[in-house]
Amino acid sequence: DADVTQTPRNRITKTGKRIMLECSQTKGHDRMYWYRQDPGLGLRLIYYSFDVKDINKGEISDGYSVSRQAQAKFSLSLESAIPNQTALYFCATSDLRKSGNEQFFGPGTRLTVL
Amino acid sequence: RKEVEQDPGPFNVPEGATVAFNCTYSNSASQSFFWYRQDCRKEPKLLMSVYSSGNEDGRFTAQLNRASQYISLLIRDSKLSDSATYLCVVGGMNSGYSTLTFGKGTMLLVSP
């Protein structure tokens, strides 16, 4: 089955550490997204990419950076993690021609910053 | 005004009940509308798209009222397995790009 995968699934780190979250997809979709989800705040868009090397800031990009070096991969980096970046992070994909605006989500990465 | 607003619930209903969720959105230029379902600690998954003419998928019926900027989801004959959080999602243009905005979700708890 074509899929969206995220690694790691769980990560505990300390304040000030650099963290990278990886997302891979076998759907052949051109668009990829990173969201974070916090209790009571819902899903918020961090960054999105509509093609290789295309990068766009979302609602809450401060403190994060991304890289889209290949169509199938979209990585999210926290250069210097802080406790309020503790959250559940989701990667998603979409493809306007194949499935319109529907987004397909990975299983999530639970990040805890101590 | 928040972009996509939903009653957070929880809605507690017995099996077999009919339950309705509502959602309002602020951007009148929004172009696509969805209901997603999210189980606890899992990823959101598309439940159904919402069309202006209304659409039905088994026990689920979605309605869109563009004039009132209002979306609804009706679940008939609730099952225990319907317990989840339901996310109202609206698609629109952001600086020339199409993105989705998610409501915070409405929690449904179906009890025996």
Side-chain angles (χ1 to χ4, degrees), chain A residues 35 37 40-41 43 48 50 54 56 90 101-103 105-107 110, chain B residues 32 34 36 38 41-44 46 87 94 97-100 102 104:
Chain A
Y35 293 89
Q37 187 172 39
L41 293 179
L43 278 162
Y48 58 103
F50 281 7
D54 174 66
N56 304 282
F90 287 107
N101 279 331
E102 179 185 355
Q103 292 186 12
F105 285 79
R110 186 164 296 280
Chain B
S32 53
F34 308 92
Y36 274 68
Q38 185 174 23
R41 297 174 180 264
K42 301 280 191 179
E43 72 271 25
L46 181 69
L87 307 177
N94 179 10
Y97 292 102
S98 175
T99 59
L100 298 183
F102 289 77
K104 295 178 183 179

Side-chain angles (χ1 to χ4, degrees), chain A:
Chain A
D1 258 357
D3 219 345
V4 183
T5 56
Q6 293 183 232
T7 55
R9 294 293 312 278
N10 288 282
R11 181 73 184 267
I12 300 174
T13 191
K14 293 182 179 179
T15 297
K17 294 290 188 182
R18 184 178 188 274
I19 296 296
M20 180 179 287
L21 308 184
E22 304 274 8
C23 177
S24 294
Q25 53 117 345
T26 56
K27 290 184 170 295
H29 286 178
D30 54 0
R31 302 179 176 192
M32 298 187 74
Y33 310 80
W34 275 106
Y35 293 89
R36 66 177 279 175
Q37 187 172 39
D38 300 271
L41 293 179
L43 278 162
R44 293 182 293 166
L45 183 62
I46 306 172
Y47 271 97
Y48 58 103
S49 168
F50 281 7
D51 204 349
V52 176
K53 301 293 177 72
D54 174 66
I55 302 294
N56 304 282
K57 292 183 177 180
E59 181 186 350
I60 51 161
S61 58
D62 287 350
Y64 301 94
S65 62
V66 291
S67 175
R68 183 92 184 271
Q69 297 293 331
Q71 188 188 52
K73 296 185 184 295
F74 192 33
S75 59
L76 176 72
S77 293
L78 289 68
E79 296 301 325
S80 179
I82 55 177
N84 77 0
Q85 291 177 313
T86 293
L88 183 55
Y89 289 84
F90 287 107
C91 173
T93 73
S94 71
D95 191 301
L96 203 60
R97 289 165 297 178
K98 293 180 180 178
S99 49
N101 279 331
E102 179 185 355
Q103 292 186 12
F104 298 81
F105 285 79
T109 295
R110 186 164 296 280
L111 176 66
T112 302
V113 183
L114 301 176

Side-chain angles (χ1 to χ4, degrees), chain B residues 41-87:
Chain B
R41 297 174 180 264
K42 301 280 191 179
E43 72 271 25
K45 293 184 179 179
L46 181 69
L47 178 66
M48 57 197 305
S49 300
V50 187
Y51 304 111
S52 296
S53 55
N55 49 298
E56 187 174 308
D57 182 1
R59 299 181 293 108
F60 299 85
T61 300
Q63 298 276 357
L64 167 64
N65 184 322
R66 283 185 182 270
S68 302
Q69 296 178 205
Y70 171 96
I71 307 163
S72 65
L73 176 68
L74 183 76
I75 305 176
R76 290 181 299 278
D77 189 23
S78 298
K79 311 291 185 190
L80 295 177
S81 57
D82 293 334
S83 296
T85 296
Y86 292 83
L87 307 177

